[in-house]
Amino acid sequence: MSGDVFVIAEHRDGAIIDTTYELLGRAKALAGASGGEAVAVLLGSAVAGLAGSLGAAARVIVVDGPGLASFSPSAYQAALVPLVRERQPALVLVANSGSGMDVAAGLSAALDLPLAAYAIDLTVDANGPLVTCQLYAGKILAKVRFTGGRGIVTVVAGSFPADAGAAGGSPPVETVVPAATDDRIRFVDLLRPEAGDVDITRETVLVSVGRGIGEQENLELVEALAAVLGGAVSSSRPIADAGWLPRTRQVGKSGLKVKPKVYLALGISGAPEHLEGMRNAELIIAINSDARAPIFSVAHFGAVADLLDVVPALTARLGG
Amino acid sequence: MDYVVLLKQVPDLAEELEIDAAGTGLDREWMSFVASEWDEYALEEALLLRDARGGTVTCLALGVAAGDVDELLATCLTRGADRVVKVGTFEHAPDSHTAAAAFAGALAHIHYDLVLTGVQAIDDLDGQVGPLVATNLGLPHVSVVTHIAVAGHGSIVTVHQEYAGGVVGEFEVQLPAVLGVQTSRETPRYAPVSRVRQLMKTATIEAMVGGEGGGSGLVVEAMTIPETGSTAEMINGSPQVIAERIAAILAERGIGSGVAR
Amino acid sequence: MLGRDVTREIFEGISFEGEILFYGLSALATIVFFVGIGVRLRKYVRGRRQDVIGSPLGFLRRAARSSVDTALNQTVAKRDPYAGVFHAAIMWGFIVLFIGTAILTIESDIVRPFLPQFSFYWGAFYVVYSLVLDVLGLAMIVGIVAMAIRRARRPRQLDYGRVDIGPATTDRGGFRTGDWILLGWLGLLGVSGFILEGARILANDFPWFEVFSPVGWVVAGLFRALGLTAASAEAIRYTLWWSHAIVALALVGYFPFSKAIHAIVDPVNLALRSPLAGRRLPVLAVAGAAPADGHIGIRDLSDLTWKQLVDVDACTKCGRCHVACPAVASGAPLSPRDLILDLRQEADAAWSILAPLGEHRSDRAYGGGTNGTGPADGSNGGSRLAGGLISADTLWSCTMCLACVEACPVGIEHVPTIVGMRRSLVDQGIVTPSLQTAFTSLAKQGNSFGQSGRARAKWTDDLPTPIVDARKQDVDWLWFVGDFASFDVRVQESTRLVARVFQAAGMDFGILYEGERNAGNDVRRAGEEGLFELLAEHNVGQLSKVRFRRIVTTDPHTLNTLKYEYPDFGGDYEVWHYSQVLASLLASGDLMKQRSIDRRVTYHDPCYLARYSKVTAAPREVLAAIGAELVEMPRNGANTFCCGAGGGRIWMDDSGLAERPSEQRIREAAELTGVTDFVTACPKDLTMYTAAVKATGHEDRLLVSDLIELVAMAVDLPLEVPAVNEPVPAGEIAAAEVLPG
C-alpha cells in the first residue's frame, strides 16, 4: 500500500491526450499530501518514447506488449488489474472518456476498489482523498470519501488545467511486461469523421446552436449572424445527431474542445457533456429561454430570451 | 441469439431536485421516476438485433420499491421484449456495485449471448453498471457503443466505441460480452399507454433472487445543488435591447465591427 | 272542358310485342338495380357494429329534421347558393320525373287492367301532371347545364390532383370522365324526353291541352318550323321512344354502380349523422385494454364500421372538404376527400365492386395487401389502412379542425375515421419522436411542456391577490386552466389578466392548482387513447372531490372534451368558455366598461369554439360591449380557418409544410383595411399567431392579442409590472407603444 497517485495515460496517434495532462497536473499537486508520488501508467506497444511527454510525473510505468498496440478494453484491463493489485496506489485517476469508463469500472470490480465517477474536483486532506462528483446532468454535486481511504476516480475533462501537467522531461521509466492478456476484444480500425469544411477549433468566434433553434430552417438566421461576425457555426450534440450540421461542428465531450475568443451559446441548455467542450472560451454569451439553464453558470453574459428574436436583431444591428 | 438488457429507473429531472435534511442525499418526497435514457437505447438495439436475426430479448430490472419497476418492465414487453424479470428486492435504487452484483447473480441462471445496458445513468456515482457486471462475470465489455453488428455465425459482434471529436474505434468482440450503449440507430419505439396498462394487469413478470455483495465503498459527506446563473451578468429587455448590449460587448473586444467573410 | 279526352295514349304506337319487350327490359333493369343495391348493402354488412341510433326518439327527431334539410337542399346551399339552386333543380327535377314515371306505371299496369274505374290519368290531373313534369324537367336540364358550365371552368374543388403521391395527376383514374358521363347521361335523358314529347305533340297535331306541356309544345313548334310534318314526326317517334326508353332503363341499371347512388345513400347518411361527430369520440371497446383480436383502432379494412362504409360511399367528390382543409392549404400530404375516396376505392376493390364508368382505379394499387409501408401482417384480409394505404404522414397531417365535416354536404364524418386510424398508428408504435416526447411528458407530469406537474400553478405567483384553491374551498366556478395557459410564457400574461378580471368582477372562482392535468382533448385526437383515459380518470377524480357549480375555461379544446367526452368517464359538467362568462359579466354590469376601445379589430374564431362548440356570438358580444369595431375575417364563424395547432400537431414537426396555416391566416387578416388588432380567444391560437405575425413580417401591421387583453384595457385594469429578470414580452411593449394614454 503506497501513497502514490496513479494516472492512466491515454494516447492516440503517437501523442498524449490533453486530459492525461490535466490528471497529471492534479496528481502531482496531490501526491505529496497522499504520501507518495505521481506515477503515470502508459500502456502500449513500443511506446517508451512517449514517456518523455509525461515529465510532470515522478515516475512512469510503461506496460509494453504487442497486445496493447491499440486500445482494447479487455487487453488494458488484463494488464492493469495485476499491476494495480501489486502496487496498491492510494488513488488511480482515469479520464472520463470513452476508453476511460471501461478501464475504471473494470478495475473497480476486479480489485474490489471503490470508484468515484464524474469527478470535477479532487483534494487530499487529513482524512484522505475527497472527491467532488457531478450527478444528475450536472444538477447535483456530491462530496464523497472512500471507506478504505483508497480508490479510483474518473475525472470529467476540463476539470483541471492541462498546463500543470504538460511538462516535458525525463522521468524514470520502468518498463513491465503485461502480467496477463485478454484478446477477446480486438481492435480493428480507427474511423475518423470526414474532414469538414471548417475546423471549429481554430475559429476565433463561434456561434453555437442547440435544441432551442427549433427547426432546421432556422439555421439560416444563425449562419447569417456567424457571417457578419466573421465566425463559424458550431453546435451541441442533438443538432449533429439530427444531421443538421456535420459532426465536425459538434462541441462537447464526444465532439471537439474549443477555446475561441467568443462563444455564443444559442438555445443550448448547458449539459455537462457540452460544457466540457467550451467552458474555457474567453468570452461566453448565452441566450436561452429557460432561466434555469445550466449554461448560465459558465457564461459571462446571459439573456433569457427567444434566440429566434435576438439573432435577427443582432445580425441587423451588426450590419448584416 | 439471446439478448439480455439491464434497465433501471432514475429520478425525473423535470422535477426540481432537493437535498434531504441530512444533507447527504436527495429528498425523495416529490421524486418521480423515468426509465434511464441510455437503457432505452440499449433495449431498442436489442430489439432491432433480434428482429433482424431472430432470438430472444430478456429484460432485467432490480425490484426497487421506489418508482414503478412493474411499469418499466411492462413497457419493455410492450416494445417487444420476450421475457421480463425483476431481480431482488430493494427499497431504494442501490449503488452500481450492488446492482451489478445482483444482476450478475441473476445472469448465472439465464442463457445469454450478449448483454446490453445503457452506457451510463445520471445517478452512477460509483461507476457504470455495464463494466461492473461484465467483470463480475468475467466477460469482455465495451462502453460508449454507437454501432453493433453481429457477424455471420453469431459468435462475434463488431462494435463502434465513440471518442472525442467524432473519432470512433471499431472492435471485434467475442461473445458472450457486455456492451454499454450510447445511442441506438433508431429512436426507441413508442410503447402505447393502453398496451402498457393492459400488460401491467395481465403479463407475467418473473422474480429472481439477485446476487449478494457489492457496496459502493463510498461515503457521501455532503450533497449540494450548485449555484446556477451566479457568474453570468444577465441582460434584460426586449430582443432589440439585448442585441444592442451584445453588440456593445462584442465591440469592446473588437468583434463584429464590419468584419464579414 | 277537361274531360276524358284530355290525355295521351301511353305506349302509343308501340305494338304488343314492343310492350312486352319494354317490360322485359324494365324487369332486367330493375333486377340489375337491386343487385347493385344488394352488392352495396352486402358491403355495409361487412362493417363492424356502430351505434348511431342512440335514443330512438332522438334519432327519429334527427332523421325527420334531416329529411326536411335534404328536401330543402340545405347542406348543398350552405355557402354556395349557385350549387344550392341548381342542384335543387336537378334533384327535384329527377325526383319528380321519377315519381311521374311511377305514377304512370301505376296507371298503366295496375289501375287500367284491374281497376279501370279508378283511372286518373286524364283531365285536370293530366294537365297538372304535364305542367309539373315539364317545368321540373326543364329545371333539371337547366341545372345540368349550369353545373356543366361550372365544371368546365375547372374550379379548384374539382381538381382531383392528389396531394400525397408524387406529382399531381389531374384526371386521377378517370374521375372526371366518370363525372361527365353521368352528367351527360342525365342531360341526355332529359333532352331526349323533351324531344320525344315534342315529336308526339307534333305527330298528334298539337292537341290544345298540350300547351300545358310548355316545353314539349315549344319543341314541337321548333320541329314544325324546321319542316317536320305530323307524319314524319310520327315516323321518327318510334325511334325516339325506344331511344329514350333505353337511355332511361340503362340509367336505372347503371344507377347503383355510378355516382347517382348518392341520391339514395346521402339522405340516409345525413339522417344517420351524429350531431356530436368528432366532438365526442368513441371509447375503446374494452376500457383500458386491447380487444381480444389484439389491436386497437382502425388498422385494416375489416376494422371499419358499417357507418364508415356508408360514409365513404356517400362522397360525391364535390371537393368542399378539400378546399376547406388547412392541411391541403399548407401543402401537407393530406386531403380529406382523397382519404375518403381511397377508403372507398380500397373497399370496392377488395370486395370486387365495379367502379363507375370511366373511373378505373389507376392512381395507385387498390385491393389489399401490398399497400405501402407498415409491418407486414397477412392477417385480417391484408388491406392495411393505417400506415399502409393511408400513410402515416397523411394521417399525422390532420389538425382535427372539423372544417371537412362542417363543409361536407352529405354528412361524411372524416374526423372519427382519421382518429381511428391514428389509434392504430399509436398502437403500432408509428409515432414521430417529438410526439413521443410530448406523450411521455404528458404521462409523467400531466403536461406537454416537459415541466414538473408541481409547477403548473407557478403562473399565479405574481398575482396581487391569490386565487382560491378549489381543492380546499367550495367555489361557484371551477376554472380549468389548461396546459398552454399555465406554461406558455406568452399565454401566461393573458391567463393572469383573466384571473384579475374575474377577481375585479367579484366572481367566485377557484382553480385546481397542481391537481389539474391536461384535459386530454388533443391527446385523444392524436390517437393515444390509453393516455387520454389516464388523464381523464385523473381529472374526473380530482373534480369529484371538489364542490363547484360550473366550469369555465379559456381553452376551447379543454371545453370540448370536458363537455362532450368526460361524461363517458363519469364526469358530467356544465362548461362555459370564458368569452361567454365575460359577455355575461359585461351584460350584467359586474364588469363595467370604463373606456371604449376604439380600435378596428378582427376576430379569429377558434376552430374548437366556433365549429365544435358552436359559440360564435359571445366573443362578438364582448367586443361590441367594449366598443371595439369588428371587421369580420373573410372566413369567419363556423367557416373559420385553422391555425394548424390542433390534433396534436403543435407537438409535431411542421418544417415540411409549404406555408403554415397560421401564416396564411395572418395574410388573410392583413388584407383587411384599417384593422390593427388580431384578436384570439384560444391559448394555442395566441401562441401560433404571435409566431406567425413575426414570421410573415406583419408585426408592425397587426397586434396579436387575446380577448382578455382588450377587456382588461376597457375596464381599466392596470398593466402588470414585470418582475425583475423577467423579459418584457414583445406584445406588451407593442401595446404600450400603440395604445392611447
Side-chain angles (χ1 to χ4, degrees), chain A residues 77 102 108 143 145 188-189 191 228 255 302, chain B residues 97 141 143 165 168 170 221-222 235 259:
Chain A
Q77 188 163 326
D102 270 324
S108 173
K143 283 198 160 64
R145 290 200 190 269
V188 173
D189 199 3
L191 307 171
V228 123
Chain B
H97 284 72
H141 54 90
S143 298
V168 165
E170 187 173 300
E221 250 189 23
I235 309 167
V259 178

mmCIF file with all atom_site columns, all heavy atoms in Angstrom, chain A residues 77 102 108 143 145 188-189 191 228 255 302, chain B residues 97 141 143 165 168 170 221-222 235 259:
data_model
loop_
_atom_site.group_PDB
_atom_site.id
_atom_site.type_symbol
_atom_site.label_atom_id
_atom_site.label_alt_id
_atom_site.label_comp_id
_atom_site.label_asym_id
_atom_site.label_entity_id
_atom_site.label_seq_id
_atom_site.pdbx_PDB_ins_code
_atom_site.Cartn_x
_atom_site.Cartn_y
_atom_site.Cartn_z
_atom_site.occupancy
_atom_site.B_iso_or_equiv
_atom_site.pdbx_formal_charge
_atom_site.auth_seq_id
_atom_site.auth_comp_id
_atom_site.auth_asym_id
_atom_site.auth_atom_id
_atom_site.pdbx_PDB_model_num
ATOM 1   N N   . GLN A 1 77  ? -7.546  -4.001 -19.380 1.00 0.00 ? 77  GLN A N   1
ATOM 2   C CA  . GLN A 1 77  ? -7.972  -4.480 -18.065 1.00 0.00 ? 77  GLN A CA  1
ATOM 3   C C   . GLN A 1 77  ? -7.079  -5.633 -17.609 1.00 0.00 ? 77  GLN A C   1
ATOM 4   O O   . GLN A 1 77  ? -6.628  -5.663 -16.456 1.00 0.00 ? 77  GLN A O   1
ATOM 5   C CB  . GLN A 1 77  ? -9.433  -4.941 -18.123 1.00 0.00 ? 77  GLN A CB  1
ATOM 6   C CG  . GLN A 1 77  ? -9.996  -5.272 -16.760 1.00 0.00 ? 77  GLN A CG  1
ATOM 7   C CD  . GLN A 1 77  ? -11.524 -5.326 -16.765 1.00 0.00 ? 77  GLN A CD  1
ATOM 8   O OE1 . GLN A 1 77  ? -12.159 -4.577 -17.488 1.00 0.00 ? 77  GLN A OE1 1
ATOM 9   N NE2 . GLN A 1 77  ? -12.088 -6.207 -15.964 1.00 0.00 ? 77  GLN A NE2 1
ATOM 10  N N   . ASP A 1 102 ? -14.482 2.323  -19.464 1.00 0.00 ? 102 ASP A N   1
ATOM 11  C CA  . ASP A 1 102 ? -14.291 0.874  -19.429 1.00 0.00 ? 102 ASP A CA  1
ATOM 12  C C   . ASP A 1 102 ? -13.237 0.498  -18.408 1.00 0.00 ? 102 ASP A C   1
ATOM 13  O O   . ASP A 1 102 ? -13.419 -0.380 -17.567 1.00 0.00 ? 102 ASP A O   1
ATOM 14  C CB  . ASP A 1 102 ? -13.824 0.383  -20.811 1.00 0.00 ? 102 ASP A CB  1
ATOM 15  C CG  . ASP A 1 102 ? -14.986 0.017  -21.711 1.00 0.00 ? 102 ASP A CG  1
ATOM 16  O OD1 . ASP A 1 102 ? -15.979 -0.519 -21.178 1.00 0.00 ? 102 ASP A OD1 1
ATOM 17  O OD2 . ASP A 1 102 ? -14.888 0.266  -22.916 1.00 0.00 ? 102 ASP A OD2 1
ATOM 18  N N   . SER A 1 108 ? -12.323 -1.371 -10.852 1.00 0.00 ? 108 SER A N   1
ATOM 19  C CA  . SER A 1 108 ? -13.040 -1.304 -9.585  1.00 0.00 ? 108 SER A CA  1
ATOM 20  C C   . SER A 1 108 ? -13.631 -2.655 -9.218  1.00 0.00 ? 108 SER A C   1
ATOM 21  O O   . SER A 1 108 ? -13.507 -3.132 -8.090  1.00 0.00 ? 108 SER A O   1
ATOM 22  C CB  . SER A 1 108 ? -14.151 -0.250 -9.667  1.00 0.00 ? 108 SER A CB  1
ATOM 23  O OG  . SER A 1 108 ? -14.947 -0.295 -8.508  1.00 0.00 ? 108 SER A OG  1
ATOM 24  N N   . LYS A 1 143 ? -19.965 15.332 -2.476  1.00 0.00 ? 143 LYS A N   1
ATOM 25  C CA  . LYS A 1 143 ? -18.586 15.205 -1.983  1.00 0.00 ? 143 LYS A CA  1
ATOM 26  C C   . LYS A 1 143 ? -18.495 13.851 -1.306  1.00 0.00 ? 143 LYS A C   1
ATOM 27  O O   . LYS A 1 143 ? -19.253 13.577 -0.367  1.00 0.00 ? 143 LYS A O   1
ATOM 28  C CB  . LYS A 1 143 ? -18.279 16.317 -0.981  1.00 0.00 ? 143 LYS A CB  1
ATOM 29  C CG  . LYS A 1 143 ? -18.008 17.676 -1.610  1.00 0.00 ? 143 LYS A CG  1
ATOM 30  C CD  . LYS A 1 143 ? -17.296 18.589 -0.597  1.00 0.00 ? 143 LYS A CD  1
ATOM 31  C CE  . LYS A 1 143 ? -16.566 19.746 -1.234  1.00 0.00 ? 143 LYS A CE  1
ATOM 32  N NZ  . LYS A 1 143 ? -17.411 20.708 -1.919  1.00 0.00 ? 143 LYS A NZ  1
ATOM 33  N N   . ARG A 1 145 ? -16.059 10.316 0.093   1.00 0.00 ? 145 ARG A N   1
ATOM 34  C CA  . ARG A 1 145 ? -14.775 9.758  0.528   1.00 0.00 ? 145 ARG A CA  1
ATOM 35  C C   . ARG A 1 145 ? -14.809 8.255  0.334   1.00 0.00 ? 145 ARG A C   1
ATOM 36  O O   . ARG A 1 145 ? -15.879 7.641  0.296   1.00 0.00 ? 145 ARG A O   1
ATOM 37  C CB  . ARG A 1 145 ? -14.545 10.056 2.019   1.00 0.00 ? 145 ARG A CB  1
ATOM 38  C CG  . ARG A 1 145 ? -14.270 11.513 2.297   1.00 0.00 ? 145 ARG A CG  1
ATOM 39  C CD  . ARG A 1 145 ? -13.581 11.660 3.655   1.00 0.00 ? 145 ARG A CD  1
ATOM 40  N NE  . ARG A 1 145 ? -13.519 13.061 4.038   1.00 0.00 ? 145 ARG A NE  1
ATOM 41  C CZ  . ARG A 1 145 ? -12.485 13.856 3.735   1.00 0.00 ? 145 ARG A CZ  1
ATOM 42  N NH1 . ARG A 1 145 ? -11.458 13.392 3.047   1.00 0.00 ? 145 ARG A NH1 1
ATOM 43  N NH2 . ARG A 1 145 ? -12.503 15.124 4.101   1.00 0.00 ? 145 ARG A NH2 1
ATOM 44  N N   . VAL A 1 188 ? -9.925  -3.135 -34.490 1.00 0.00 ? 188 VAL A N   1
ATOM 45  C CA  . VAL A 1 188 ? -9.930  -3.287 -35.935 1.00 0.00 ? 188 VAL A CA  1
ATOM 46  C C   . VAL A 1 188 ? -9.428  -2.033 -36.627 1.00 0.00 ? 188 VAL A C   1
ATOM 47  O O   . VAL A 1 188 ? -8.522  -2.080 -37.445 1.00 0.00 ? 188 VAL A O   1
ATOM 48  C CB  . VAL A 1 188 ? -11.357 -3.620 -36.443 1.00 0.00 ? 188 VAL A CB  1
ATOM 49  C CG1 . VAL A 1 188 ? -11.410 -3.616 -37.957 1.00 0.00 ? 188 VAL A CG1 1
ATOM 50  C CG2 . VAL A 1 188 ? -11.818 -4.950 -35.883 1.00 0.00 ? 188 VAL A CG2 1
ATOM 51  N N   . ASP A 1 189 ? -10.042 -0.897 -36.287 1.00 0.00 ? 189 ASP A N   1
ATOM 52  C CA  . ASP A 1 189 ? -9.697  0.312  -37.037 1.00 0.00 ? 189 ASP A CA  1
ATOM 53  C C   . ASP A 1 189 ? -10.133 1.541  -36.265 1.00 0.00 ? 189 ASP A C   1
ATOM 54  O O   . ASP A 1 189 ? -11.013 1.463  -35.410 1.00 0.00 ? 189 ASP A O   1
ATOM 55  C CB  . ASP A 1 189 ? -10.416 0.272  -38.398 1.00 0.00 ? 189 ASP A CB  1
ATOM 56  C CG  . ASP A 1 189 ? -9.776  1.223  -39.405 1.00 0.00 ? 189 ASP A CG  1
ATOM 57  O OD1 . ASP A 1 189 ? -8.752  1.856  -39.067 1.00 0.00 ? 189 ASP A OD1 1
ATOM 58  O OD2 . ASP A 1 189 ? -10.317 1.328  -40.524 1.00 0.00 ? 189 ASP A OD2 1
ATOM 59  N N   . LEU A 1 191 ? -11.845 5.046  -36.955 1.00 0.00 ? 191 LEU A N   1
ATOM 60  C CA  . LEU A 1 191 ? -12.583 5.740  -38.007 1.00 0.00 ? 191 LEU A CA  1
ATOM 61  C C   . LEU A 1 191 ? -12.670 7.218  -37.656 1.00 0.00 ? 191 LEU A C   1
ATOM 62  O O   . LEU A 1 191 ? -13.109 7.579  -36.567 1.00 0.00 ? 191 LEU A O   1
ATOM 63  C CB  . LEU A 1 191 ? -14.001 5.152  -38.118 1.00 0.00 ? 191 LEU A CB  1
ATOM 64  C CG  . LEU A 1 191 ? -14.064 3.630  -38.278 1.00 0.00 ? 191 LEU A CG  1
ATOM 65  C CD1 . LEU A 1 191 ? -15.510 3.158  -38.140 1.00 0.00 ? 191 LEU A CD1 1
ATOM 66  C CD2 . LEU A 1 191 ? -13.495 3.209  -39.616 1.00 0.00 ? 191 LEU A CD2 1
ATOM 67  N N   . VAL A 1 228 ? -21.665 37.647 -40.349 1.00 0.00 ? 228 VAL A N   1
ATOM 68  C CA  . VAL A 1 228 ? -21.458 39.051 -40.024 1.00 0.00 ? 228 VAL A CA  1
ATOM 69  C C   . VAL A 1 228 ? -20.403 39.225 -38.927 1.00 0.00 ? 228 VAL A C   1
ATOM 70  O O   . VAL A 1 228 ? -19.738 40.257 -38.823 1.00 0.00 ? 228 VAL A O   1
ATOM 71  C CB  . VAL A 1 228 ? -22.834 39.656 -39.635 1.00 0.00 ? 228 VAL A CB  1
ATOM 72  C CG1 . VAL A 1 228 ? -22.822 40.248 -38.275 1.00 0.00 ? 228 VAL A CG1 1
ATOM 73  C CG2 . VAL A 1 228 ? -23.297 40.621 -40.696 1.00 0.00 ? 228 VAL A CG2 1
ATOM 74  N N   . GLY A 1 255 ? -17.523 15.516 -28.950 1.00 0.00 ? 255 GLY A N   1
ATOM 75  C CA  . GLY A 1 255 ? -17.255 16.357 -30.119 1.00 0.00 ? 255 GLY A CA  1
ATOM 76  C C   . GLY A 1 255 ? -15.865 16.942 -29.981 1.00 0.00 ? 255 GLY A C   1
ATOM 77  O O   . GLY A 1 255 ? -14.918 16.240 -29.630 1.00 0.00 ? 255 GLY A O   1
ATOM 78  N N   . GLY A 1 302 ? -25.498 36.686 -20.069 1.00 0.00 ? 302 GLY A N   1
ATOM 79  C CA  . GLY A 1 302 ? -26.614 35.847 -20.462 1.00 0.00 ? 302 GLY A CA  1
ATOM 80  C C   . GLY A 1 302 ? -27.885 36.652 -20.650 1.00 0.00 ? 302 GLY A C   1
ATOM 81  O O   . GLY A 1 302 ? -28.016 37.758 -20.109 1.00 0.00 ? 302 GLY A O   1
ATOM 82  N N   . HIS B 2 97  ? -22.425 -0.863 -7.807  1.00 0.00 ? 97  HIS B N   1
ATOM 83  C CA  . HIS B 2 97  ? -21.737 -2.115 -7.458  1.00 0.00 ? 97  HIS B CA  1
ATOM 84  C C   . HIS B 2 97  ? -22.716 -3.155 -6.937  1.00 0.00 ? 97  HIS B C   1
ATOM 85  O O   . HIS B 2 97  ? -22.657 -4.323 -7.311  1.00 0.00 ? 97  HIS B O   1
ATOM 86  C CB  . HIS B 2 97  ? -20.639 -1.871 -6.410  1.00 0.00 ? 97  HIS B CB  1
ATOM 87  C CG  . HIS B 2 97  ? -19.410 -1.236 -6.973  1.00 0.00 ? 97  HIS B CG  1
ATOM 88  N ND1 . HIS B 2 97  ? -19.362 0.074  -7.378  1.00 0.00 ? 97  HIS B ND1 1
ATOM 89  C CD2 . HIS B 2 97  ? -18.167 -1.742 -7.202  1.00 0.00 ? 97  HIS B CD2 1
ATOM 90  C CE1 . HIS B 2 97  ? -18.151 0.357  -7.835  1.00 0.00 ? 97  HIS B CE1 1
ATOM 91  N NE2 . HIS B 2 97  ? -17.399 -0.721 -7.739  1.00 0.00 ? 97  HIS B NE2 1
ATOM 92  N N   . HIS B 2 141 ? -16.066 -6.330 -22.067 1.00 0.00 ? 141 HIS B N   1
ATOM 93  C CA  . HIS B 2 141 ? -17.077 -5.272 -22.106 1.00 0.00 ? 141 HIS B CA  1
ATOM 94  C C   . HIS B 2 141 ? -16.553 -4.077 -22.887 1.00 0.00 ? 141 HIS B C   1
ATOM 95  O O   . HIS B 2 141 ? -15.369 -3.750 -22.831 1.00 0.00 ? 141 HIS B O   1
ATOM 96  C CB  . HIS B 2 141 ? -17.450 -4.826 -20.690 1.00 0.00 ? 141 HIS B CB  1
ATOM 97  C CG  . HIS B 2 141 ? -16.277 -4.423 -19.846 1.00 0.00 ? 141 HIS B CG  1
ATOM 98  N ND1 . HIS B 2 141 ? -15.800 -3.139 -19.787 1.00 0.00 ? 141 HIS B ND1 1
ATOM 99  C CD2 . HIS B 2 141 ? -15.478 -5.170 -19.035 1.00 0.00 ? 141 HIS B CD2 1
ATOM 100 C CE1 . HIS B 2 141 ? -14.747 -3.100 -18.964 1.00 0.00 ? 141 HIS B CE1 1
ATOM 101 N NE2 . HIS B 2 141 ? -14.528 -4.316 -18.510 1.00 0.00 ? 141 HIS B NE2 1
ATOM 102 N N   . SER B 2 143 ? -17.713 0.052  -23.703 1.00 0.00 ? 143 SER B N   1
ATOM 103 C CA  . SER B 2 143 ? -18.654 1.132  -23.375 1.00 0.00 ? 143 SER B CA  1
ATOM 104 C C   . SER B 2 143 ? -18.766 2.115  -24.519 1.00 0.00 ? 143 SER B C   1
ATOM 105 O O   . SER B 2 143 ? -17.985 2.080  -25.475 1.00 0.00 ? 143 SER B O   1
ATOM 106 C CB  . SER B 2 143 ? -18.177 1.881  -22.131 1.00 0.00 ? 143 SER B CB  1
ATOM 107 O OG  . SER B 2 143 ? -18.142 1.026  -21.035 1.00 0.00 ? 143 SER B OG  1
ATOM 108 N N   . GLY B 2 165 ? -14.303 14.258 -30.463 1.00 0.00 ? 165 GLY B N   1
ATOM 109 C CA  . GLY B 2 165 ? -14.022 14.776 -31.795 1.00 0.00 ? 165 GLY B CA  1
ATOM 110 C C   . GLY B 2 165 ? -14.623 13.939 -32.899 1.00 0.00 ? 165 GLY B C   1
ATOM 111 O O   . GLY B 2 165 ? -14.244 14.049 -34.058 1.00 0.00 ? 165 GLY B O   1
ATOM 112 N N   . VAL B 2 168 ? -14.000 7.362  -33.893 1.00 0.00 ? 168 VAL B N   1
ATOM 113 C CA  . VAL B 2 168 ? -14.664 6.117  -33.491 1.00 0.00 ? 168 VAL B CA  1
ATOM 114 C C   . VAL B 2 168 ? -13.695 4.957  -33.606 1.00 0.00 ? 168 VAL B C   1
ATOM 115 O O   . VAL B 2 168 ? -12.959 4.846  -34.579 1.00 0.00 ? 168 VAL B O   1
ATOM 116 C CB  . VAL B 2 168 ? -15.877 5.869  -34.415 1.00 0.00 ? 168 VAL B CB  1
ATOM 117 C CG1 . VAL B 2 168 ? -16.366 4.441  -34.299 1.00 0.00 ? 168 VAL B CG1 1
ATOM 118 C CG2 . VAL B 2 168 ? -16.990 6.843  -34.096 1.00 0.00 ? 168 VAL B CG2 1
ATOM 119 N N   . GLU B 2 170 ? -13.261 0.917  -33.964 1.00 0.00 ? 170 GLU B N   1
ATOM 120 C CA  . GLU B 2 170 ? -14.015 -0.278 -34.331 1.00 0.00 ? 170 GLU B CA  1
ATOM 121 C C   . GLU B 2 170 ? -13.359 -1.498 -33.721 1.00 0.00 ? 170 GLU B C   1
ATOM 122 O O   . GLU B 2 170 ? -12.134 -1.668 -33.815 1.00 0.00 ? 170 GLU B O   1
ATOM 123 C CB  . GLU B 2 170 ? -14.060 -0.406 -35.860 1.00 0.00 ? 170 GLU B CB  1
ATOM 124 C CG  . GLU B 2 170 ? -14.964 -1.532 -36.334 1.00 0.00 ? 170 GLU B CG  1
ATOM 125 C CD  . GLU B 2 170 ? -15.123 -1.541 -37.853 1.00 0.00 ? 170 GLU B CD  1
ATOM 126 O OE1 . GLU B 2 170 ? -15.612 -0.539 -38.386 1.00 0.00 ? 170 GLU B OE1 1
ATOM 127 O OE2 . GLU B 2 170 ? -14.726 -2.530 -38.482 1.00 0.00 ? 170 GLU B OE2 1
ATOM 128 N N   . GLU B 2 221 ? -20.267 12.710 1.937   1.00 0.00 ? 221 GLU B N   1
ATOM 129 C CA  . GLU B 2 221 ? -20.130 13.664 3.029   1.00 0.00 ? 221 GLU B CA  1
ATOM 130 C C   . GLU B 2 221 ? -21.133 14.775 2.928   1.00 0.00 ? 221 GLU B C   1
ATOM 131 O O   . GLU B 2 221 ? -21.665 15.270 3.916   1.00 0.00 ? 221 GLU B O   1
ATOM 132 C CB  . GLU B 2 221 ? -18.718 14.272 3.000   1.00 0.00 ? 221 GLU B CB  1
ATOM 133 C CG  . GLU B 2 221 ? -17.877 13.806 4.128   1.00 0.00 ? 221 GLU B CG  1
ATOM 134 C CD  . GLU B 2 221 ? -16.565 14.548 4.241   1.00 0.00 ? 221 GLU B CD  1
ATOM 135 O OE1 . GLU B 2 221 ? -16.451 15.696 3.750   1.00 0.00 ? 221 GLU B OE1 1
ATOM 136 O OE2 . GLU B 2 221 ? -15.668 13.946 4.824   1.00 0.00 ? 221 GLU B OE2 1
ATOM 137 N N   . ALA B 2 222 ? -21.346 15.211 1.703   1.00 0.00 ? 222 ALA B N   1
ATOM 138 C CA  . ALA B 2 222 ? -22.297 16.301 1.511   1.00 0.00 ? 222 ALA B CA  1
ATOM 139 C C   . ALA B 2 222 ? -22.816 16.270 0.094   1.00 0.00 ? 222 ALA B C   1
ATOM 140 O O   . ALA B 2 222 ? -22.090 15.927 -0.833  1.00 0.00 ? 222 ALA B O   1
ATOM 141 C CB  . ALA B 2 222 ? -21.612 17.638 1.787   1.00 0.00 ? 222 ALA B CB  1
ATOM 142 N N   . ILE B 2 235 ? -28.635 40.138 -19.027 1.00 0.00 ? 235 ILE B N   1
ATOM 143 C CA  . ILE B 2 235 ? -29.110 41.303 -19.777 1.00 0.00 ? 235 ILE B CA  1
ATOM 144 C C   . ILE B 2 235 ? -30.621 41.200 -19.886 1.00 0.00 ? 235 ILE B C   1
ATOM 145 O O   . ILE B 2 235 ? -31.148 40.167 -20.304 1.00 0.00 ? 235 ILE B O   1
ATOM 146 C CB  . ILE B 2 235 ? -28.531 41.304 -21.205 1.00 0.00 ? 235 ILE B CB  1
ATOM 147 C CG1 . ILE B 2 235 ? -27.007 41.129 -21.160 1.00 0.00 ? 235 ILE B CG1 1
ATOM 148 C CG2 . ILE B 2 235 ? -28.921 42.567 -21.943 1.00 0.00 ? 235 ILE B CG2 1
ATOM 149 C CD1 . ILE B 2 235 ? -26.403 40.814 -22.514 1.00 0.00 ? 235 ILE B CD1 1
ATOM 150 N N   . VAL B 2 259 ? -16.725 43.315 -39.712 1.00 0.00 ? 259 VAL B N   1
ATOM 151 C CA  . VAL B 2 259 ? -15.909 42.203 -40.220 1.00 0.00 ? 259 VAL B CA  1
ATOM 152 C C   . VAL B 2 259 ? -16.829 41.186 -40.879 1.00 0.00 ? 259 VAL B C   1
ATOM 153 O O   . VAL B 2 259 ? -17.714 40.646 -40.246 1.00 0.00 ? 259 VAL B O   1
ATOM 154 C CB  . VAL B 2 259 ? -15.156 41.512 -39.064 1.00 0.00 ? 259 VAL B CB  1
ATOM 155 C CG1 . VAL B 2 259 ? -14.343 40.338 -39.571 1.00 0.00 ? 259 VAL B CG1 1
ATOM 156 C CG2 . VAL B 2 259 ? -14.283 42.520 -38.359 1.00 0.00 ? 259 VAL B CG2 1
#
